[in-house]
Amino acid sequence: MHLDELADFAAEVRKEQQESKHCIRVCMAAGCQSSGAAAVLDGLKGQVDDDANVHVKGVGCMGLCAAGPLVEIESLEASSKTASSKTLYQKVTADDAEAIVDSLDAEPVERLRCSTDIPFFAWQKKVVLENSGIIDPEEIKEYIAADGYLGLVTALTELTPADVLREIKASGLRGRGGGGYLTGLKWSTVAKMPPGQKYVICNSDEGDPGAFMDRAVLESDPHRVLEGMVLAGYAVGADHGFVYIRAEYPLAIERLKKAIQQATRQGLLGKNICETRLSFDIEIRLGAGAFVCGEETALMASIEGSRGQPRPRPPYPAAYGLFGQPTLINNVETLANVPSIIRHGGDWFAAMGTERSKGTKVFALAGRIQNTGLIEVPMGITLRDIIETIGGGVPDGKTFKAVQTGGPSGGCIPEQFLDLPVDYDTLRDVGSIMGSGGMIVMDQSSSMVEVARYFMEFCMDESCGKCVPCRAGTDQMYHLLDKIVKEKATSRDLALLEELCDMVSATSLCGLGQTAPNPVLSTLRYFRQEYEEKLQDLAVAGSGQADLARADSSASETEETK
Amino acid sequence: MKGPGTASSVRVVTLKINDHDVSARESESILEVARENGIRIPSLCQMDGLSIAGACRLCMVELKGSSRLLAGCATRVAEGMEVLTNTERLRKYRRMIVELLLAERNHVCSVCVSNGRCELQDLAFECGVDHVRFPYRSAVYQVDASHDWYRVDHNRCVLCLRCVRVCDEIEGAHTWDAMGRGINCQVVTDLKRPWGESDSCTGCGKCVQICPTGALVKHGTSAGEMEKDVHFLPYLSRMRHWE
Amino acid sequence: MMQQNRITVATTWLDGCSGCHMSLLDIDDRLFLLAEKVDFVYSPLVDAKQLPESVDVGIIEGSVSTDEDLHKAIEFRKRCKFLISLGDCAVSGNVPSMRNLFKLDDVLDRAYRENVQVNPQIPRDGVPKLLEKVQPLHGVVDVDLFVQGCPPSAEVIWNVLSELVAGRTPDPTKLTRFGA
Ligand SMILES: Cc1cc2nc3c(=O)[nH]c(=O)nc-3n(C[C@H](O)[C@H](O)[C@H](O)COP(=O)(O)O)c2cc1C
Ligand code: SF4
């Protein structure tokens, strides 16, 4: 497909879309589906029949998951051919279908209306999620109509791989998978490796508890990720890509599969893309839900068919990756930014965000917050704006206590830092990390020691067991935290816990162990008194009371002697 | 001078380990070079002749002026490096790692067939572990004595994965592998069949010889009687990797 | 001989095999040297049956397995200025702690019912009550010095005692180890 062919195709689809006066979009992302969106979609389709004036379609995530199932109506203004008005309905059931369809040329159904003037919508800035909730993710033509694959075809026909690299570098994009590594730098390292077999991997393992940013992107706009991968392949000289995705995301997998088929059929994937010399295939590999398989070396071992365990780095994947070949591995959201960067230019992207953190970031808001759901905001926005303005604050008149970012590798940020800008470096300075974008809000009723124990339990369960500090250290740390929660610990236990945190983070083999102590360290930093309040006095003068035999020890074991 | 990348261009670098000047081939690890120069760095999972696992984390070293630690076995030397192998911080961490290992499974030295010939015991001695501050987990582990000649006692396994590697990389049988996650990880024979029923095991006994503790032993040994001999390994490894 | 130079020592055995105490006796003729400097004020090896209110050095062999062990350990800690955990059972739990892999009731059943032909019953009267889990000494009280070994050799014990007599803090870590 050439540029003009793509443009014609896009124009045609857009024209087709404008033929119907009303477009009804039903959110069919996993969140709304779990509250019954499929029935709503069926109901609406049944009501509309085949009225050419109304087009009903399933779309991806609209963001305000707390109010699902969400339905949006876009109607062309009677007076104009192009301007349109939008109405958003919340908590829609299949029974509402009739009322909604009846209202199309009349007044909206007030009882279902969800205002879109609220900051939740107004304050967001959508790049990665620009098509999310708007296009039908199962139709490549809708993506193309929204300027999809424009970046790819432009790059292939008018830009050299070096040009693409230059744009990515100029954009200042940093990895969204947690580490924040400069994407341009990573790409150029792989590009500089001698020519030969190279791979691109899209890391869609998304294992942080409470995180669903990547899932939303894959479910709502899968072609965007594919386009990003092909662009990456073009820039670094790879001809084969893998999407490593957790098997717990069946909908995302299904949509990805469909997207790969459609893109291949359109000649946008596969052999000689757009009749150029670039060939690029994409295969899907399913992960079995081990958190550690999101770590890049473990992920590659898993694709290779081995046990998903990390190995020491260096060598980094860029030099010695999948099957021993140079490999570019990026997160879903990182790759999803790429088509926009190529389409609008690196400078456009770099104009958003802060000095060292460019662009936007998708966050999954969860916990004690009014508007749980998915948001995309410019980097540098304050935590307060996210939580109080966009998120609507803490519900039920409770007061805010802390926000946890970065999942099990992150930390808890207290009230005093809410006015700090959200960027990689600031979050690190206050003892947390950006992470992949999970944000869990806690109110005064949450016990910080219990929060720390929760994340430690997660790390203990998810440790791969290869290295001693993480395998045995997380187990001991969990039990020490448990002892503190149960008010059986002494100041010595707390000291031992701190020593362990220090050792485990300094010596573990991979990021899981290295960051596992973070939730403990950050809660100790800001909420130490909560730990101390739970400590017991050292009972008898000089009595250790270390309690070195675990009462529950045999229960924790899976094996029985025969 | 030959350009970089040519096969015969062995680059030699000089560096400092604990303030001693040493020279090394660029392809060598810090641990290898330290050993060559008689500088002891405690380690457990690494063995000359096997691939690097980086699992025990005992050989962590410091670089002067940096707080980040590096695993000696998995880090190549570089020109001008200033390596410290025995700082107070490292000693503290090593001590804790050994304590964690002793608390993890049921290492009752006095009744172990490897008593007196055990690397874990030696490491505890070397690192000054005179008691363990962590609760002993006291979890139940199996003993598989189904093999005609050998026995595996999981109570004494430290998961160094040496058996897994020697069996795969030297013997080529890949009878051993690891199973399970985290603290429930354990080594298994043939997808967890009893060792005696393994189709792939050749009975060569290399795993038994290189096991650092009393986890893999010969039948018919009693407390302190199990002697092991690992001298075959560097030789076999050289022969196997002969190009 | 100057009285003020003499130090008082109390010893006891908890759940152990008394091997550590035998090893102490194995210092042989050096016992006479020791007797010049040390008063054994309480020990299974001497007649005194009352632990004095204040003792310079307490030495405990064996792990903490019963309520009586626990009581003794606490009393020793209260009354001794310097407490030594002697031998692997005291330091790590060693063989006595191998029962921690099982439930106490199962252990008792195995010992007193399943393997008994005549009048199987679990003894309860006049015997100390077993704790659910066996602990090393430092699991219940603070310990000042650990002496590993099963048993620690007479040499090590001699070294520790003579250092103490000389007014120094002993460091046996380079002389003994677990299982020695
Ligand atoms: C324990 C662990 C889990 C990880 N899980 C993920 C994940 O689920 N998704 C992801 O993109 N990156 C994950 N990462 C980070 C990856 O190793 C890698 O850095 C990332 O995919 C690089 O992509 P980026 O540069 O685009 O961020 C994880 C890292 C660790 C240590
Ligand atoms: S840090 Fe944890 S997850 Fe990572 S290699 Fe070590 S044991 Fe495995």
Side-chain angles (χ1 to χ4, degrees):
Chain A
M1 202 183 293
H2 290 286
L3 257 184
D4 39 3
E5 287 175 281
L6 187 78
D8 290 348
F9 186 77
E12 207 174 296
V13 181
R14 278 194 285 258
K15 196 162 146 246
E16 196 178 293
Q17 283 171 349
Q18 279 164 6
E19 270 161 20
S20 37
K21 191 163 165 235
H22 305 283
C23 178
I24 305 184
R25 304 190 178 102
V26 182
C27 176
M28 289 290 282
C32 283
Q33 280 214 17
S34 63
S35 44
V40 176
L41 183 65
D42 283 347
L44 285 165
K45 279 193 170 149
Q47 286 293 326
V48 169
D49 239 353
D50 37 32
D51 180 348
N53 255 332
V54 186
H55 180 58
V56 181
K57 67 184 181 187
V59 296
C61 185
M62 296 185 185
L64 194 56
C65 308
L70 292 166
V71 173
E72 189 186 57
I73 319 279
E74 186 171 6
S75 305
L76 281 179
E77 299 282 349
S79 51
S80 133
K81 271 260 171 275
T82 47
S84 59
S85 65
K86 288 183 182 175
T87 314
L88 184 67
Y89 292 131
Q90 60 181 348
K91 300 203 160 112
V92 180
T93 64
D95 298 337
D96 298 325
E98 193 178 348
I100 289 176
V101 173
D102 287 347
S103 77
L104 281 179
D105 287 304
E107 286 304 299
V109 191
E110 275 313 321
R111 67 184 166 87
L112 296 173
R113 259 186 105 163
C114 174
S115 166
T116 48
D117 296 335
I118 56 173
F120 182 85
F121 295 104
W123 285 51
Q124 292 198 48
K125 171 103 191 127
K126 305 224 171 176
V127 175
V128 166
L129 298 177
E130 64 180 350
N131 296 330
S132 185
I134 296 173
I135 67 166
D136 181 347
E138 306 201 358
E139 295 285 352
I140 190 171
K141 61 178 190 186
E142 296 227 349
Y143 180 62
I144 291 175
D147 285 342
Y149 289 110
L150 185 61
L152 175 65
V153 179
T154 314
L156 291 189
T157 50
E158 295 178 357
L159 304 179
T160 63
D163 292 333
V164 175
L165 274 180
R166 202 170 308 120
E167 291 306 323
I168 299 297
K169 278 191 207 160
S171 75
L173 175 64
R174 292 171 72 169
R176 303 293 195 236
Y181 193 78
L182 277 170
T183 306
L185 187 57
K186 199 187 255 187
W187 285 31
S188 58
T189 312
V190 181
K192 285 211 169 92
M193 288 294 146
Q197 181 68 62
K198 297 182 188 177
Y199 296 103
V200 173
I201 298 176
C202 171
N203 187 343
S204 322
D205 197 54
E206 191 162 65
D208 287 13
F212 52 94
M213 298 76 54
D214 295 348
R215 186 187 72 192
V217 174
L218 291 166
E219 285 176 358
S220 309
D221 203 4
H223 285 285
R224 166 178 294 273
V225 179
L226 300 185
E227 187 183 351
M229 288 179 76
V230 185
L231 279 164
Y234 181 60
V236 305
D239 68 356
H240 205 93
F242 288 93
V243 180
Y244 187 87
I245 181 168
R246 44 178 37 226
E248 291 93 328
Y249 283 178
L251 188 60
I253 295 166
E254 191 191 313
R255 291 193 176 156
L256 260 177
K257 279 189 184 155
K258 236 180 226 171
I260 291 173
Q261 277 172 7
Q262 292 172 351
T264 310
R265 212 176 300 132
Q266 295 290 342
L268 292 163
L269 202 58
K271 281 240 166 318
N272 302 105
I273 299 176
C274 305
E275 289 117 54
T276 64
R277 281 173 40 208
L278 181 76
S279 295
F280 196 87
D281 293 315
I282 295 179
E283 276 182 69
I284 297 178
R285 283 286 186 281
L286 301 190
F291 175 60
V292 75
C293 283
E295 194 282 334
E296 53 194 28
T297 59
L299 186 152
M300 293 185 305
S302 171
I303 294 183
E304 288 168 8
S306 306
R307 189 174 149 79
Q309 276 190 330
R311 60 153 175 80
R313 296 175 313 170
Y316 288 95
Y320 188 92
L322 191 60
F323 301 110
Q325 305 299 326
T327 301
L328 174 72
I329 173 160
N330 272 133
N331 165 262
V332 173
E333 192 184 328
T334 313
L335 289 165
N337 272 302
V338 169
S340 303
I341 292 173
I342 299 302
R343 209 168 344 117
H344 303 297
D347 294 338
W348 163 83
F349 190 83
M352 293 180 283
T354 66
E355 181 63 32
R356 302 195 51 216
S357 305
K358 303 295 188 191
T360 60
K361 180 77 195 83
V362 181
F363 289 102
L365 293 182
R368 308 292 296 150
I369 189 159
Q370 194 74 39
N371 302 327
T372 50
L374 202 69
I375 58 163
E376 183 172 359
V377 288
M379 293 274 192
I381 187 173
T382 66
L383 281 165
R384 194 181 298 283
D385 282 339
I386 294 184
I387 293 162
E388 292 179 1
T389 312
I390 299 179
V394 178
D396 307 331
K398 297 261 174 57
T399 38
F400 171 89
K401 182 167 189 184
V403 56
Q404 211 281 347
T405 70
S409 316
C412 294
I413 303 173
E415 155 85 31
Q416 76 227 57
F417 296 122
L418 278 190
D419 291 310
L420 289 180
V422 172
D423 65 47
Y424 289 97
D425 310 293
T426 309
L427 291 183
R428 181 158 307 158
D429 290 346
V430 298
S432 188
I433 58 165
M434 173 87 72
S436 55
M439 236 184 223
I440 303 170
V441 177
M442 285 163 277
D443 68 22
Q444 287 300 342
S445 64
S446 345
S447 148
M448 301 316 272
V449 192
E450 283 174 42
V451 169
R453 181 183 64 173
Y454 167 79
F455 283 110
M456 189 57 73
E457 184 176 20
F458 179 85
C459 290
M460 169 180 79
D461 290 343
E462 294 297 332
S463 162
C464 80
K466 182 171 179 177
C467 70
V468 185
C470 171
R471 178 183 74 232
T474 53
D475 173 85
Q476 293 287 0
M477 288 191 287
Y478 169 77
H479 282 92
L480 284 168
L481 285 163
D482 191 51
K483 211 169 153 188
I484 298 175
V485 168
K486 296 187 171 140
E487 305 193 6
K488 287 186 183 151
T490 64
S491 56
R492 292 214 195 137
D493 292 305
L494 185 56
L496 200 56
L497 175 66
E498 295 192 78
E499 268 190 63
L500 267 173
C501 286
D502 175 38
M503 188 277 284
V504 172
S505 59
T507 61
S508 288
L509 171 57
C510 85
L512 194 156
Q514 287 160 8
T515 60
N518 285 358
V520 183
L521 290 173
S522 82
T523 47
L524 270 171
R525 184 163 156 188
Y526 300 120
F527 302 96
R528 193 180 185 92
Q529 87 285 356
E530 286 195 28
Y531 283 79
E532 284 169 352
E533 278 160 12
K534 290 188 184 292
L535 297 183
Q536 269 195 333
D537 291 339
L538 288 169
V540 191
S543 149
Q545 297 286 348
D547 195 6
L548 292 182
R550 279 201 207 140
D552 59 331
S553 54
S554 3
S556 73
E557 187 45 42
T558 51
E559 291 296 325
E560 284 295 323
T561 23
K562 297 218 171 95
Chain B
M1 203 185 113
K2 287 206 167 97
T6 43
S8 58
S9 68
V10 178
R11 292 246 303 251
V12 175
V13 297
T14 55
L15 62 148
K16 278 192 163 70
I17 305 185
N18 299 343
D19 291 322
H20 293 290
D21 288 302
V22 298
S23 66
R25 265 176 278 123
E26 207 181 31
S27 56
E28 287 179 289
S29 70
I30 294 173
L31 185 58
E32 278 173 304
V33 177
R35 279 189 193 153
E36 271 167 35
N37 288 280
I39 300 167
R40 162 91 187 155
I41 305 178
S43 73
L44 180 59
C45 66
Q46 195 279 343
M47 273 205 116
D48 282 340
L50 297 182
S51 64
I52 303 293
C56 72
R57 315 310 285 170
L58 282 164
C59 69
M60 302 302 287
V61 296
E62 278 186 62
L63 292 191
K64 242 185 209 170
S66 156
S67 64
R68 233 188 97 216
L69 306 186
L70 299 171
C73 64
T75 311
R76 288 195 183 175
V77 292
E79 183 64 42
M81 247 182 187
E82 294 193 52
V83 180
L84 299 173
T85 70
N86 197 23
T87 63
E88 194 172 321
R89 177 168 178 226
L90 293 172
R91 284 198 300 270
K92 186 175 128 191
Y93 290 166
R94 284 181 190 137
R95 198 199 134 108
M96 280 180 124
I97 290 175
V98 174
E99 284 181 80
L100 285 175
L101 281 172
L102 289 169
E104 182 176 18
R105 299 210 178 179
N106 306 304
H107 300 276
V108 185
C109 297
S110 55
V111 293
C112 176
V113 296
S114 289
N115 190 9
R117 300 188 178 90
C118 166
E119 291 183 37
L120 180 61
Q121 212 175 29
D122 295 345
L123 280 165
F125 180 74
E126 182 181 356
C127 299
V129 179
D130 60 357
H131 70 292
V132 174
R133 292 168 297 164
F134 304 114
Y136 289 90
R137 291 182 58 251
S138 304
V140 177
Y141 288 94
Q142 270 183 316
V143 177
D144 176 0
S146 60
H147 195 280
D148 284 346
W149 306 316
Y150 313 122
R151 180 170 74 223
V152 52
D153 179 353
H154 292 284
N155 289 290
R156 304 184 182 281
C157 172
V158 290
L159 291 170
C160 65
L161 306 178
R162 284 188 194 178
C163 53
V164 175
R165 286 174 285 155
V166 81
C167 186
D168 178 45
E169 296 164 16
I170 306 293
E171 180 61 8
H174 202 128
T175 300
W176 290 102
D177 212 326
M179 187 195 96
R181 252 190 248 169
I183 201 84
N184 295 319
C185 188
Q186 73 171 78
V187 291
V188 290
T189 42
D190 277 12
L191 300 173
K192 202 159 183 285
R193 274 164 72 189
W195 195 358
E197 291 167 27
S198 161
D199 302 325
S200 62
C201 173
T202 62
C204 75
K206 293 189 182 70
C207 53
V208 173
Q209 296 304 328
I210 68 155
C211 172
T213 68
L216 293 173
V217 296
K218 282 191 201 154
H219 282 320
T221 45
S222 105
E225 285 180 1
M226 182 66 213
E227 278 185 63
K228 299 186 179 187
D229 181 358
V230 298
H231 288 100
F232 69 92
L233 185 58
Y235 170 75
L236 276 188
S237 157
R238 260 200 313 283
M239 302 315 272
R240 289 283 187 280
H241 296 114
W242 206 258
E243 303 252 330
Chain C
M1 189 182 302
M2 298 195 339
Q3 275 305 115
Q4 57 263 50
N5 268 353
R6 298 181 69 81
I7 58 171
T8 51
V9 172
T11 81
T12 189
W13 55 45
L14 309 179
D15 193 2
C17 69
S18 68
C20 298
H21 275 78
M22 298 305 123
S23 209
L24 167 64
L25 294 179
D26 278 346
I27 63 174
D28 297 338
D29 49 353
R30 282 168 293 186
L31 280 168
F32 293 109
L33 292 174
L34 206 58
E36 288 175 13
K37 307 268 189 184
V38 168
D39 281 332
F40 279 87
V41 292
Y42 176 84
S43 168
L45 306 175
V46 300
D47 287 335
K49 290 290 169 264
Q50 197 67 46
L51 182 63
E53 278 304 316
S54 174
V55 185
D56 292 326
V57 177
I59 299 178
I60 297 185
E61 167 195 333
S63 59
V64 182
S65 303
T66 65
D67 53 358
E68 189 182 304
D69 294 342
L70 182 60
H71 174 74
K72 271 194 196 158
I74 292 173
E75 283 308 305
F76 259 64
R77 178 68 272 180
K78 275 190 195 154
R79 301 180 189 202
C80 302
K81 291 179 202 134
F82 191 84
L83 187 61
I84 299 177
S85 180
L86 181 71
D88 280 356
C89 296
V91 175
S92 75
N94 202 22
V95 173
S97 72
M98 288 167 80
R99 79 155 158 92
N100 285 355
L101 310 198
F102 312 98
K103 282 210 172 67
L104 178 58
D105 288 343
D106 295 345
V107 173
L108 287 169
D109 273 347
R110 176 65 61 91
Y112 293 104
R113 280 200 231 271
E114 290 170 34
N115 293 335
V116 175
Q117 256 110 49
V118 184
N119 192 17
Q121 63 168 344
I122 292 172
R124 298 200 194 275
D125 294 336
V127 288
K129 199 166 153 293
L130 291 179
L131 301 175
E132 183 66 36
K133 297 286 170 187
V134 176
Q135 299 226 36
L137 183 60
H138 65 282
V140 298
V141 293
D142 277 356
V143 168
D144 300 301
L145 186 76
F146 297 88
V147 186
Q148 297 155 296
C150 185
S153 68
E155 292 311 314
V156 173
I157 296 177
W158 170 248
N159 173 280
V160 167
L161 292 174
S162 45
E163 287 288 291
L164 280 172
V165 167
R168 292 187 289 264
T169 306
D171 177 13
T173 54
K174 291 290 163 240
L175 304 174
T176 185
R177 57 164 170 76
F178 287 120

